[in-house]
Amino acid sequence: DSGVTQTPKHLITATGQRVTLRCSPRSGDLSVYWYQQSLDQGLQFLIQYYNGEERAKGNILERFSAQQFPDLHSELNLSSLELGDSALYFCASSVGGGSLTEAFFGQGTRLTVV
Amino acid sequence: QQQVKQSPQSLIVQKGGISIINCAYENTAFDYFPWYQQFPGKGPALLIAIRPDVSEKKEGRFTISFNKSAKQFSLHIMDSQPGDSATYFCAASKYGGATNKLIFGTGTLLAVQP
């Protein structure tokens, strides 16, 4: 158990809908990362927050947004969902914001868009 | 320039054999190369990592070999065991940078046959 908690574990929704994925980082970790894992694209970095502020942005669609709250948990919001958004979404956390600290991954949320 | 290319896509090895997974990168700014192991239903977990100032790093049965001039690195699993059966991802990032966002390879599904 990495200590990173993601909810829900599974989510099935229809095209055009909006969903929210939640991540609770390890105790003491200030940084949260979101990754998307799909069969054709592999693991893709979406976005990073550090202590409530956006730190880095990757290939995140405009339909997607994220935030990190004062208690350091994070939410990834996905809207106007398309079939191609079906994927595993992972959250990871680390103590620091840079690469000197290891990032620990949660078990992921499997999103299925039908 | 942000890509990390990984091969093979899948690998079958007999118990006790050597598993070899290769990766190549393009961006010379990358200077931190971790390998992650992912079991079904779990998130990726850091296995071993290397920086370019050394050509090889060994931890138990796992060894990373690094060729800076060729911009290639590989994971060797000695005495492969059925418990090593998992998906392996190489990754790259900028060590000491402001972010630990990882650029992942596409993954290698390893099956170790008893």
Side-chain angles (χ1 to χ4, degrees), chain A residues 33 35 37 43 45 48 55-57 90 97-103 105-107, chain B residues 32 36 38 41-44 46 89 93-102 104:
Chain A
Y33 311 77
Y35 287 85
Q37 185 176 35
L43 267 164
F45 170 76
Q48 177 196 2
R55 175 65 69 97
K57 209 166 186 176
F90 285 104
S99 63
L100 297 179
T101 57
E102 179 183 348
F105 284 76
Q107 294 193 346
Chain B
Y32 177 68
Y36 281 79
Q38 184 180 24
K42 303 290 186 182
L46 180 64
F89 293 94
S93 71
K94 180 73 178 79
Y95 190 75
T99 174
N100 193 14
K101 76 172 190 180
L102 295 165
F104 282 91

PDB file of all heavy atoms in Angstrom, chain A residues 33 35 37 43 45 48 55-57 90 97-103 105-107, chain B residues 32 36 38 41-44 46 89 93-102 104:
ATOM      1  N   TYR A  33       0.394  14.585  -8.292  1.00  0.00           N
ATOM      2  CA  TYR A  33       0.490  14.479  -9.747  1.00  0.00           C
ATOM      3  C   TYR A  33      -0.710  13.679 -10.244  1.00  0.00           C
ATOM      4  O   TYR A  33      -1.147  12.728  -9.592  1.00  0.00           O
ATOM      5  CB  TYR A  33       1.755  13.737 -10.165  1.00  0.00           C
ATOM      6  CG  TYR A  33       3.027  14.208  -9.524  1.00  0.00           C
ATOM      7  CD1 TYR A  33       3.342  13.859  -8.214  1.00  0.00           C
ATOM      8  CD2 TYR A  33       3.935  14.983 -10.227  1.00  0.00           C
ATOM      9  CE1 TYR A  33       4.518  14.274  -7.622  1.00  0.00           C
ATOM     10  CE2 TYR A  33       5.131  15.399  -9.641  1.00  0.00           C
ATOM     11  CZ  TYR A  33       5.407  15.038  -8.344  1.00  0.00           C
ATOM     12  OH  TYR A  33       6.572  15.457  -7.761  1.00  0.00           O
ATOM     13  N   TYR A  35      -1.829  11.328 -13.627  1.00  0.00           N
ATOM     14  CA  TYR A  35      -1.410  10.668 -14.855  1.00  0.00           C
ATOM     15  C   TYR A  35      -2.609   9.928 -15.451  1.00  0.00           C
ATOM     16  O   TYR A  35      -3.478   9.436 -14.734  1.00  0.00           O
ATOM     17  CB  TYR A  35      -0.303   9.651 -14.595  1.00  0.00           C
ATOM     18  CG  TYR A  35       1.042  10.240 -14.298  1.00  0.00           C
ATOM     19  CD1 TYR A  35       1.396  10.639 -13.009  1.00  0.00           C
ATOM     20  CD2 TYR A  35       1.981  10.388 -15.312  1.00  0.00           C
ATOM     21  CE1 TYR A  35       2.640  11.179 -12.745  1.00  0.00           C
ATOM     22  CE2 TYR A  35       3.246  10.923 -15.047  1.00  0.00           C
ATOM     23  CZ  TYR A  35       3.564  11.313 -13.770  1.00  0.00           C
ATOM     24  OH  TYR A  35       4.794  11.843 -13.509  1.00  0.00           O
ATOM     25  N   GLN A  37      -3.475   6.670 -17.917  1.00  0.00           N
ATOM     26  CA  GLN A  37      -2.907   5.481 -18.539  1.00  0.00           C
ATOM     27  C   GLN A  37      -3.928   4.846 -19.473  1.00  0.00           C
ATOM     28  O   GLN A  37      -4.981   4.384 -19.041  1.00  0.00           O
ATOM     29  CB  GLN A  37      -2.472   4.453 -17.480  1.00  0.00           C
ATOM     30  CG  GLN A  37      -1.762   3.241 -18.069  1.00  0.00           C
ATOM     31  CD  GLN A  37      -1.251   2.282 -16.997  1.00  0.00           C
ATOM     32  OE1 GLN A  37      -1.866   2.093 -15.954  1.00  0.00           O
ATOM     33  NE2 GLN A  37      -0.108   1.670 -17.256  1.00  0.00           N
ATOM     34  N   LEU A  43       1.395   5.743 -20.108  1.00  0.00           N
ATOM     35  CA  LEU A  43       1.243   6.648 -18.964  1.00  0.00           C
ATOM     36  C   LEU A  43       1.607   8.060 -19.386  1.00  0.00           C
ATOM     37  O   LEU A  43       2.746   8.346 -19.737  1.00  0.00           O
ATOM     38  CB  LEU A  43       2.164   6.221 -17.827  1.00  0.00           C
ATOM     39  CG  LEU A  43       1.601   5.289 -16.778  1.00  0.00           C
ATOM     40  CD1 LEU A  43       2.716   4.671 -15.965  1.00  0.00           C
ATOM     41  CD2 LEU A  43       0.639   6.031 -15.858  1.00  0.00           C
ATOM     42  N   PHE A  45       1.625  12.148 -18.328  1.00  0.00           N
ATOM     43  CA  PHE A  45       1.534  13.145 -17.267  1.00  0.00           C
ATOM     44  C   PHE A  45       0.493  14.193 -17.626  1.00  0.00           C
ATOM     45  O   PHE A  45       0.478  14.715 -18.736  1.00  0.00           O
ATOM     46  CB  PHE A  45       2.910  13.799 -17.084  1.00  0.00           C
ATOM     47  CG  PHE A  45       2.899  15.002 -16.190  1.00  0.00           C
ATOM     48  CD1 PHE A  45       2.808  14.854 -14.815  1.00  0.00           C
ATOM     49  CD2 PHE A  45       2.986  16.274 -16.729  1.00  0.00           C
ATOM     50  CE1 PHE A  45       2.803  15.971 -13.991  1.00  0.00           C
ATOM     51  CE2 PHE A  45       2.987  17.390 -15.914  1.00  0.00           C
ATOM     52  CZ  PHE A  45       2.893  17.246 -14.542  1.00  0.00           C
ATOM     53  N   GLN A  48       0.554  18.690 -12.234  1.00  0.00           N
ATOM     54  CA  GLN A  48       1.117  18.588 -10.882  1.00  0.00           C
ATOM     55  C   GLN A  48       0.730  19.809 -10.072  1.00  0.00           C
ATOM     56  O   GLN A  48       0.775  20.935 -10.581  1.00  0.00           O
ATOM     57  CB  GLN A  48       2.639  18.472 -10.936  1.00  0.00           C
ATOM     58  CG  GLN A  48       3.291  18.442  -9.560  1.00  0.00           C
ATOM     59  CD  GLN A  48       4.781  18.715  -9.598  1.00  0.00           C
ATOM     60  OE1 GLN A  48       5.350  18.960 -10.648  1.00  0.00           O
ATOM     61  NE2 GLN A  48       5.431  18.667  -8.445  1.00  0.00           N
ATOM     62  N   ARG A  55       2.101  23.415 -10.432  1.00  0.00           N
ATOM     63  CA  ARG A  55       3.558  23.412 -10.588  1.00  0.00           C
ATOM     64  C   ARG A  55       3.975  23.064 -12.018  1.00  0.00           C
ATOM     65  O   ARG A  55       4.932  23.621 -12.538  1.00  0.00           O
ATOM     66  CB  ARG A  55       4.182  22.422  -9.606  1.00  0.00           C
ATOM     67  CG  ARG A  55       5.697  22.210  -9.729  1.00  0.00           C
ATOM     68  CD  ARG A  55       6.493  23.460  -9.411  1.00  0.00           C
ATOM     69  NE  ARG A  55       6.446  23.844  -8.034  1.00  0.00           N
ATOM     70  CZ  ARG A  55       7.381  23.531  -7.132  1.00  0.00           C
ATOM     71  NH1 ARG A  55       8.395  22.770  -7.485  1.00  0.00           N
ATOM     72  NH2 ARG A  55       7.288  23.979  -5.904  1.00  0.00           N
ATOM     73  N   ALA A  56       3.284  22.119 -12.625  1.00  0.00           N
ATOM     74  CA  ALA A  56       3.648  21.718 -13.987  1.00  0.00           C
ATOM     75  C   ALA A  56       2.409  21.198 -14.694  1.00  0.00           C
ATOM     76  O   ALA A  56       1.489  20.675 -14.068  1.00  0.00           O
ATOM     77  CB  ALA A  56       4.730  20.657 -13.979  1.00  0.00           C
ATOM     78  N   LYS A  57       2.406  21.394 -16.008  1.00  0.00           N
ATOM     79  CA  LYS A  57       1.265  20.972 -16.805  1.00  0.00           C
ATOM     80  C   LYS A  57       1.761  20.130 -17.969  1.00  0.00           C
ATOM     81  O   LYS A  57       2.779  20.444 -18.582  1.00  0.00           O
ATOM     82  CB  LYS A  57       0.533  22.212 -17.324  1.00  0.00           C
ATOM     83  CG  LYS A  57      -0.937  22.042 -17.541  1.00  0.00           C
ATOM     84  CD  LYS A  57      -1.602  23.415 -17.719  1.00  0.00           C
ATOM     85  CE  LYS A  57      -3.098  23.295 -17.789  1.00  0.00           C
ATOM     86  NZ  LYS A  57      -3.763  24.612 -17.865  1.00  0.00           N
ATOM     87  N   PHE A  90      -4.283   7.823 -12.646  1.00  0.00           N
ATOM     88  CA  PHE A  90      -3.488   7.635 -11.442  1.00  0.00           C
ATOM     89  C   PHE A  90      -3.152   8.972 -10.813  1.00  0.00           C
ATOM     90  O   PHE A  90      -2.859   9.958 -11.503  1.00  0.00           O
ATOM     91  CB  PHE A  90      -2.173   6.913 -11.761  1.00  0.00           C
ATOM     92  CG  PHE A  90      -2.325   5.454 -12.021  1.00  0.00           C
ATOM     93  CD1 PHE A  90      -2.263   4.961 -13.310  1.00  0.00           C
ATOM     94  CD2 PHE A  90      -2.520   4.566 -10.976  1.00  0.00           C
ATOM     95  CE1 PHE A  90      -2.405   3.606 -13.560  1.00  0.00           C
ATOM     96  CE2 PHE A  90      -2.661   3.208 -11.213  1.00  0.00           C
ATOM     97  CZ  PHE A  90      -2.605   2.725 -12.508  1.00  0.00           C
ATOM     98  N   GLY A  97       8.384  19.050  -4.426  1.00  0.00           N
ATOM     99  CA  GLY A  97       7.823  19.280  -5.756  1.00  0.00           C
ATOM    100  C   GLY A  97       8.768  18.917  -6.873  1.00  0.00           C
ATOM    101  O   GLY A  97       8.365  18.776  -8.011  1.00  0.00           O
ATOM    102  N   GLY A  98      10.052  18.774  -6.554  1.00  0.00           N
ATOM    103  CA  GLY A  98      11.028  18.485  -7.592  1.00  0.00           C
ATOM    104  C   GLY A  98      11.327  17.002  -7.701  1.00  0.00           C
ATOM    105  O   GLY A  98      10.704  16.174  -7.040  1.00  0.00           O
ATOM    106  N   SER A  99      12.328  16.685  -8.506  1.00  0.00           N
ATOM    107  CA  SER A  99      12.604  15.283  -8.800  1.00  0.00           C
ATOM    108  C   SER A  99      13.508  14.627  -7.765  1.00  0.00           C
ATOM    109  O   SER A  99      13.911  13.492  -7.938  1.00  0.00           O
ATOM    110  CB  SER A  99      13.232  15.162 -10.187  1.00  0.00           C
ATOM    111  OG  SER A  99      14.476  15.826 -10.211  1.00  0.00           O
ATOM    112  N   LEU A 100      13.834  15.305  -6.699  1.00  0.00           N
ATOM    113  CA  LEU A 100      14.710  14.718  -5.690  1.00  0.00           C
ATOM    114  C   LEU A 100      13.958  13.806  -4.740  1.00  0.00           C
ATOM    115  O   LEU A 100      14.553  13.130  -3.918  1.00  0.00           O
ATOM    116  CB  LEU A 100      15.419  15.826  -4.902  1.00  0.00           C
ATOM    117  CG  LEU A 100      16.353  16.715  -5.723  1.00  0.00           C
ATOM    118  CD1 LEU A 100      16.968  17.785  -4.842  1.00  0.00           C
ATOM    119  CD2 LEU A 100      17.428  15.892  -6.394  1.00  0.00           C
ATOM    120  N   THR A 101      12.653  13.810  -4.835  1.00  0.00           N
ATOM    121  CA  THR A 101      11.856  12.944  -3.964  1.00  0.00           C
ATOM    122  C   THR A 101      11.031  11.995  -4.804  1.00  0.00           C
ATOM    123  O   THR A 101      10.530  12.356  -5.860  1.00  0.00           O
ATOM    124  CB  THR A 101      10.922  13.762  -3.060  1.00  0.00           C
ATOM    125  OG1 THR A 101      10.087  14.589  -3.871  1.00  0.00           O
ATOM    126  CG2 THR A 101      11.730  14.641  -2.128  1.00  0.00           C
ATOM    127  N   GLU A 102      10.885  10.771  -4.294  1.00  0.00           N
ATOM    128  CA  GLU A 102      10.160   9.746  -5.015  1.00  0.00           C
ATOM    129  C   GLU A 102       8.675  10.028  -5.034  1.00  0.00           C
ATOM    130  O   GLU A 102       8.113  10.488  -4.035  1.00  0.00           O
ATOM    131  CB  GLU A 102      10.414   8.395  -4.356  1.00  0.00           C
ATOM    132  CG  GLU A 102       9.678   7.220  -5.008  1.00  0.00           C
ATOM    133  CD  GLU A 102       9.912   5.914  -4.275  1.00  0.00           C
ATOM    134  OE1 GLU A 102      10.814   5.869  -3.421  1.00  0.00           O
ATOM    135  OE2 GLU A 102       9.167   4.951  -4.544  1.00  0.00           O
ATOM    136  N   ALA A 103       8.055   9.747  -6.158  1.00  0.00           N
ATOM    137  CA  ALA A 103       6.606   9.869  -6.275  1.00  0.00           C
ATOM    138  C   ALA A 103       5.976   8.499  -6.056  1.00  0.00           C
ATOM    139  O   ALA A 103       6.408   7.516  -6.637  1.00  0.00           O
ATOM    140  CB  ALA A 103       6.226  10.414  -7.652  1.00  0.00           C
ATOM    141  N   PHE A 105       2.534   6.171  -6.230  1.00  0.00           N
ATOM    142  CA  PHE A 105       1.293   6.127  -6.989  1.00  0.00           C
ATOM    143  C   PHE A 105       0.173   5.442  -6.212  1.00  0.00           C
ATOM    144  O   PHE A 105       0.411   4.462  -5.495  1.00  0.00           O
ATOM    145  CB  PHE A 105       1.500   5.369  -8.304  1.00  0.00           C
ATOM    146  CG  PHE A 105       2.230   6.156  -9.352  1.00  0.00           C
ATOM    147  CD1 PHE A 105       3.601   6.347  -9.283  1.00  0.00           C
ATOM    148  CD2 PHE A 105       1.538   6.710 -10.417  1.00  0.00           C
ATOM    149  CE1 PHE A 105       4.277   7.070 -10.251  1.00  0.00           C
ATOM    150  CE2 PHE A 105       2.205   7.435 -11.401  1.00  0.00           C
ATOM    151  CZ  PHE A 105       3.573   7.616 -11.310  1.00  0.00           C
ATOM    152  N   GLY A 106      -1.035   5.930  -6.399  1.00  0.00           N
ATOM    153  CA  GLY A 106      -2.215   5.259  -5.895  1.00  0.00           C
ATOM    154  C   GLY A 106      -2.600   4.113  -6.812  1.00  0.00           C
ATOM    155  O   GLY A 106      -1.910   3.842  -7.811  1.00  0.00           O
ATOM    156  N   GLN A 107      -3.718   3.453  -6.496  1.00  0.00           N
ATOM    157  CA  GLN A 107      -4.136   2.288  -7.262  1.00  0.00           C
ATOM    158  C   GLN A 107      -4.942   2.644  -8.500  1.00  0.00           C
ATOM    159  O   GLN A 107      -5.266   1.771  -9.304  1.00  0.00           O
ATOM    160  CB  GLN A 107      -4.931   1.327  -6.375  1.00  0.00           C
ATOM    161  CG  GLN A 107      -4.080   0.708  -5.276  1.00  0.00           C
ATOM    162  CD  GLN A 107      -4.781  -0.454  -4.605  1.00  0.00           C
ATOM    163  OE1 GLN A 107      -5.978  -0.646  -4.758  1.00  0.00           O
ATOM    164  NE2 GLN A 107      -4.037  -1.248  -3.862  1.00  0.00           N
TER     165      GLN A 107
ATOM    166  N   TYR B  32      17.625  11.864 -15.240  1.00  0.00           N
ATOM    167  CA  TYR B  32      17.183  10.972 -14.177  1.00  0.00           C
ATOM    168  C   TYR B  32      16.297   9.928 -14.827  1.00  0.00           C
ATOM    169  O   TYR B  32      15.330  10.282 -15.518  1.00  0.00           O
ATOM    170  CB  TYR B  32      16.436  11.761 -13.103  1.00  0.00           C
ATOM    171  CG  TYR B  32      15.876  10.904 -11.978  1.00  0.00           C
ATOM    172  CD1 TYR B  32      16.716  10.252 -11.088  1.00  0.00           C
ATOM    173  CD2 TYR B  32      14.498  10.773 -11.806  1.00  0.00           C
ATOM    174  CE1 TYR B  32      16.205   9.481 -10.062  1.00  0.00           C
ATOM    175  CE2 TYR B  32      13.979  10.003 -10.787  1.00  0.00           C
ATOM    176  CZ  TYR B  32      14.837   9.358  -9.914  1.00  0.00           C
ATOM    177  OH  TYR B  32      14.322   8.600  -8.906  1.00  0.00           O
ATOM    178  N   TYR B  36       9.862   1.670 -13.269  1.00  0.00           N
ATOM    179  CA  TYR B  36       8.717   1.378 -12.438  1.00  0.00           C
ATOM    180  C   TYR B  36       8.179  -0.010 -12.760  1.00  0.00           C
ATOM    181  O   TYR B  36       8.221  -0.470 -13.911  1.00  0.00           O
ATOM    182  CB  TYR B  36       7.608   2.425 -12.641  1.00  0.00           C
ATOM    183  CG  TYR B  36       7.852   3.710 -11.896  1.00  0.00           C
ATOM    184  CD1 TYR B  36       8.746   4.666 -12.388  1.00  0.00           C
ATOM    185  CD2 TYR B  36       7.221   3.961 -10.684  1.00  0.00           C
ATOM    186  CE1 TYR B  36       8.978   5.836 -11.690  1.00  0.00           C
ATOM    187  CE2 TYR B  36       7.448   5.131  -9.983  1.00  0.00           C
ATOM    188  CZ  TYR B  36       8.332   6.060 -10.499  1.00  0.00           C
ATOM    189  OH  TYR B  36       8.571   7.222  -9.806  1.00  0.00           O
ATOM    190  N   GLN B  38       4.733  -2.426 -12.339  1.00  0.00           N
ATOM    191  CA  GLN B  38       3.300  -2.331 -12.097  1.00  0.00           C
ATOM    192  C   GLN B  38       2.651  -3.708 -12.183  1.00  0.00           C
ATOM    193  O   GLN B  38       2.724  -4.367 -13.216  1.00  0.00           O
ATOM    194  CB  GLN B  38       2.629  -1.393 -13.105  1.00  0.00           C
ATOM    195  CG  GLN B  38       1.146  -1.169 -12.834  1.00  0.00           C
ATOM    196  CD  GLN B  38       0.507  -0.229 -13.847  1.00  0.00           C
ATOM    197  OE1 GLN B  38       0.985  -0.064 -14.969  1.00  0.00           O
ATOM    198  NE2 GLN B  38      -0.597   0.405 -13.462  1.00  0.00           N
ATOM    199  N   GLY B  41      -3.889  -4.207 -11.398  1.00  0.00           N
ATOM    200  CA  GLY B  41      -4.737  -3.616 -10.370  1.00  0.00           C
ATOM    201  C   GLY B  41      -4.023  -2.698  -9.407  1.00  0.00           C
ATOM    202  O   GLY B  41      -4.625  -2.189  -8.457  1.00  0.00           O
ATOM    203  N   LYS B  42      -2.750  -2.472  -9.646  1.00  0.00           N
ATOM    204  CA  LYS B  42      -1.950  -1.612  -8.768  1.00  0.00           C
ATOM    205  C   LYS B  42      -1.378  -0.445  -9.553  1.00  0.00           C
ATOM    206  O   LYS B  42      -1.301  -0.470 -10.784  1.00  0.00           O
ATOM    207  CB  LYS B  42      -0.798  -2.402  -8.146  1.00  0.00           C
ATOM    208  CG  LYS B  42      -1.228  -3.628  -7.361  1.00  0.00           C
ATOM    209  CD  LYS B  42      -1.930  -3.256  -6.084  1.00  0.00           C
ATOM    210  CE  LYS B  42      -2.218  -4.480  -5.244  1.00  0.00           C
ATOM    211  NZ  LYS B  42      -2.947  -4.138  -3.990  1.00  0.00           N
ATOM    212  N   GLY B  43      -0.946   0.562  -8.819  1.00  0.00           N
ATOM    213  CA  GLY B  43      -0.251   1.657  -9.464  1.00  0.00           C
ATOM    214  C   GLY B  43       1.220   1.319  -9.646  1.00  0.00           C
ATOM    215  O   GLY B  43       1.743   0.407  -9.025  1.00  0.00           O
ATOM    216  N   PRO B  44       1.906   2.056 -10.515  1.00  0.00           N
ATOM    217  CA  PRO B  44       3.349   1.824 -10.693  1.00  0.00           C
ATOM    218  C   PRO B  44       4.109   2.099  -9.401  1.00  0.00           C
ATOM    219  O   PRO B  44       3.748   2.994  -8.637  1.00  0.00           O
ATOM    220  CB  PRO B  44       3.721   2.849 -11.772  1.00  0.00           C
ATOM    221  CG  PRO B  44       2.450   3.243 -12.426  1.00  0.00           C
ATOM    222  CD  PRO B  44       1.402   3.125 -11.372  1.00  0.00           C
ATOM    223  N   LEU B  46       8.197   2.531  -7.848  1.00  0.00           N
ATOM    224  CA  LEU B  46       9.598   2.705  -8.214  1.00  0.00           C
ATOM    225  C   LEU B  46      10.398   1.459  -7.890  1.00  0.00           C
ATOM    226  O   LEU B  46      10.347   0.930  -6.782  1.00  0.00           O
ATOM    227  CB  LEU B  46      10.183   3.904  -7.466  1.00  0.00           C
ATOM    228  CG  LEU B  46      11.650   4.212  -7.749  1.00  0.00           C
ATOM    229  CD1 LEU B  46      11.842   4.613  -9.205  1.00  0.00           C
ATOM    230  CD2 LEU B  46      12.148   5.318  -6.815  1.00  0.00           C
ATOM    231  N   PHE B  89       7.917  -0.138 -16.710  1.00  0.00           N
ATOM    232  CA  PHE B  89       7.975   1.135 -17.429  1.00  0.00           C
ATOM    233  C   PHE B  89       9.310   1.805 -17.156  1.00  0.00           C
ATOM    234  O   PHE B  89       9.722   1.943 -16.004  1.00  0.00           O
ATOM    235  CB  PHE B  89       6.878   2.087 -16.950  1.00  0.00           C
ATOM    236  CG  PHE B  89       5.480   1.655 -17.285  1.00  0.00           C
ATOM    237  CD1 PHE B  89       4.732   0.922 -16.363  1.00  0.00           C
ATOM    238  CD2 PHE B  89       4.905   1.996 -18.494  1.00  0.00           C
ATOM    239  CE1 PHE B  89       3.439   0.533 -16.657  1.00  0.00           C
ATOM    240  CE2 PHE B  89       3.604   1.611 -18.791  1.00  0.00           C
ATOM    241  CZ  PHE B  89       2.873   0.869 -17.871  1.00  0.00           C
ATOM    242  N   SER B  93      13.220  12.068 -16.458  1.00  0.00           N
ATOM    243  CA  SER B  93      12.857  13.408 -15.991  1.00  0.00           C
ATOM    244  C   SER B  93      14.126  14.227 -15.827  1.00  0.00           C
ATOM    245  O   SER B  93      15.234  13.737 -16.051  1.00  0.00           O
ATOM    246  CB  SER B  93      12.082  13.343 -14.675  1.00  0.00           C
ATOM    247  OG  SER B  93      12.937  12.971 -13.614  1.00  0.00           O
ATOM    248  N   LYS B  94      13.935  15.474 -15.423  1.00  0.00           N
ATOM    249  CA  LYS B  94      15.057  16.379 -15.217  1.00  0.00           C
ATOM    250  C   LYS B  94      15.373  16.380 -13.728  1.00  0.00           C
ATOM    251  O   LYS B  94      14.568  16.851 -12.927  1.00  0.00           O
ATOM    252  CB  LYS B  94      14.697  17.785 -15.700  1.00  0.00           C
ATOM    253  CG  LYS B  94      15.815  18.802 -15.525  1.00  0.00           C
ATOM    254  CD  LYS B  94      16.928  18.567 -16.527  1.00  0.00           C
ATOM    255  CE  LYS B  94      18.046  19.596 -16.399  1.00  0.00           C
ATOM    256  NZ  LYS B  94      18.935  19.277 -15.256  1.00  0.00           N
ATOM    257  N   TYR B  95      16.507  15.826 -13.360  1.00  0.00           N
ATOM    258  CA  TYR B  95      16.872  15.697 -11.952  1.00  0.00           C
ATOM    259  C   TYR B  95      17.097  17.070 -11.325  1.00  0.00           C
ATOM    260  O   TYR B  95      17.748  17.925 -11.903  1.00  0.00           O
ATOM    261  CB  TYR B  95      18.151  14.879 -11.817  1.00  0.00           C
ATOM    262  CG  TYR B  95      18.496  14.484 -10.396  1.00  0.00           C
ATOM    263  CD1 TYR B  95      17.799  13.478  -9.759  1.00  0.00           C
ATOM    264  CD2 TYR B  95      19.512  15.127  -9.719  1.00  0.00           C
ATOM    265  CE1 TYR B  95      18.107  13.108  -8.465  1.00  0.00           C
ATOM    266  CE2 TYR B  95      19.822  14.769  -8.425  1.00  0.00           C
ATOM    267  CZ  TYR B  95      19.114  13.751  -7.800  1.00  0.00           C
ATOM    268  OH  TYR B  95      19.412  13.396  -6.516  1.00  0.00           O
ATOM    269  N   GLY B  96      16.532  17.259 -10.155  1.00  0.00           N
ATOM    270  CA  GLY B  96      16.738  18.518  -9.446  1.00  0.00           C
ATOM    271  C   GLY B  96      15.912  19.656  -9.984  1.00  0.00           C
ATOM    272  O   GLY B  96      16.054  20.798  -9.548  1.00  0.00           O
ATOM    273  N   GLY B  97      15.053  19.358 -10.948  1.00  0.00           N
ATOM    274  CA  GLY B  97      14.207  20.407 -11.490  1.00  0.00           C
ATOM    275  C   GLY B  97      13.077  20.753 -10.556  1.00  0.00           C
ATOM    276  O   GLY B  97      12.907  20.154  -9.499  1.00  0.00           O
ATOM    277  N   ALA B  98      12.291  21.688 -10.965  1.00  0.00           N
ATOM    278  CA  ALA B  98      11.202  22.163 -10.123  1.00  0.00           C
ATOM    279  C   ALA B  98      10.046  21.185 -10.070  1.00  0.00           C
ATOM    280  O   ALA B  98       9.155  21.314  -9.237  1.00  0.00           O
ATOM    281  CB  ALA B  98      10.701  23.509 -10.636  1.00  0.00           C
ATOM    282  N   THR B  99      10.066  20.199 -10.969  1.00  0.00           N
ATOM    283  CA  THR B  99       8.979  19.251 -10.994  1.00  0.00           C
ATOM    284  C   THR B  99       9.516  17.844 -11.164  1.00  0.00           C
ATOM    285  O   THR B  99      10.583  17.638 -11.730  1.00  0.00           O
ATOM    286  CB  THR B  99       7.989  19.538 -12.146  1.00  0.00           C
ATOM    287  OG1 THR B  99       7.021  18.489 -12.211  1.00  0.00           O
ATOM    288  CG2 THR B  99       8.703  19.608 -13.486  1.00  0.00           C
ATOM    289  N   ASN B 100       8.789  16.881 -10.626  1.00  0.00           N
ATOM    290  CA  ASN B 100       9.148  15.480 -10.824  1.00  0.00           C
ATOM    291  C   ASN B 100       8.229  14.838 -11.847  1.00  0.00           C
ATOM    292  O   ASN B 100       7.939  13.667 -11.771  1.00  0.00           O
ATOM    293  CB  ASN B 100       9.076  14.723  -9.499  1.00  0.00           C
ATOM    294  CG  ASN B 100       9.742  13.362  -9.591  1.00  0.00           C
ATOM    295  OD1 ASN B 100      10.474  13.089 -10.532  1.00  0.00           O
ATOM    296  ND2 ASN B 100       9.475  12.492  -8.639  1.00  0.00           N
ATOM    297  N   LYS B 101       7.751  15.608 -12.819  1.00  0.00           N
ATOM    298  CA  LYS B 101       6.899  14.988 -13.824  1.00  0.00           C
ATOM    299  C   LYS B 101       7.751  14.001 -14.616  1.00  0.00           C
ATOM    300  O   LYS B 101       8.893  14.269 -14.981  1.00  0.00           O
ATOM    301  CB  LYS B 101       6.271  16.028 -14.742  1.00  0.00           C
ATOM    302  CG  LYS B 101       7.187  16.609 -15.782  1.00  0.00           C
ATOM    303  CD  LYS B 101       6.381  17.478 -16.740  1.00  0.00           C
ATOM    304  CE  LYS B 101       7.213  17.881 -17.936  1.00  0.00           C
ATOM    305  NZ  LYS B 101       6.444  18.734 -18.871  1.00  0.00           N
ATOM    306  N   LEU B 102       7.187  12.830 -14.824  1.00  0.00           N
ATOM    307  CA  LEU B 102       7.907  11.752 -15.476  1.00  0.00           C
ATOM    308  C   LEU B 102       7.366  11.542 -16.883  1.00  0.00           C
ATOM    309  O   LEU B 102       6.157  11.551 -17.097  1.00  0.00           O
ATOM    310  CB  LEU B 102       7.737  10.463 -14.660  1.00  0.00           C
ATOM    311  CG  LEU B 102       8.355  10.479 -13.265  1.00  0.00           C
ATOM    312  CD1 LEU B 102       7.817   9.334 -12.422  1.00  0.00           C
ATOM    313  CD2 LEU B 102       9.869  10.401 -13.352  1.00  0.00           C
ATOM    314  N   PHE B 104       7.073   8.688 -19.437  1.00  0.00           N
ATOM    315  CA  PHE B 104       7.138   7.244 -19.391  1.00  0.00           C
ATOM    316  C   PHE B 104       7.276   6.625 -20.772  1.00  0.00           C
ATOM    317  O   PHE B 104       6.760   7.154 -21.765  1.00  0.00           O
ATOM    318  CB  PHE B 104       5.865   6.666 -18.749  1.00  0.00           C
ATOM    319  CG  PHE B 104       5.825   6.769 -17.253  1.00  0.00           C
ATOM    320  CD1 PHE B 104       5.254   7.863 -16.630  1.00  0.00           C
ATOM    321  CD2 PHE B 104       6.364   5.762 -16.461  1.00  0.00           C
ATOM    322  CE1 PHE B 104       5.207   7.952 -15.243  1.00  0.00           C
ATOM    323  CE2 PHE B 104       6.319   5.839 -15.078  1.00  0.00           C
ATOM    324  CZ  PHE B 104       5.753   6.935 -14.469  1.00  0.00           C
TER     325      PHE B 104
END
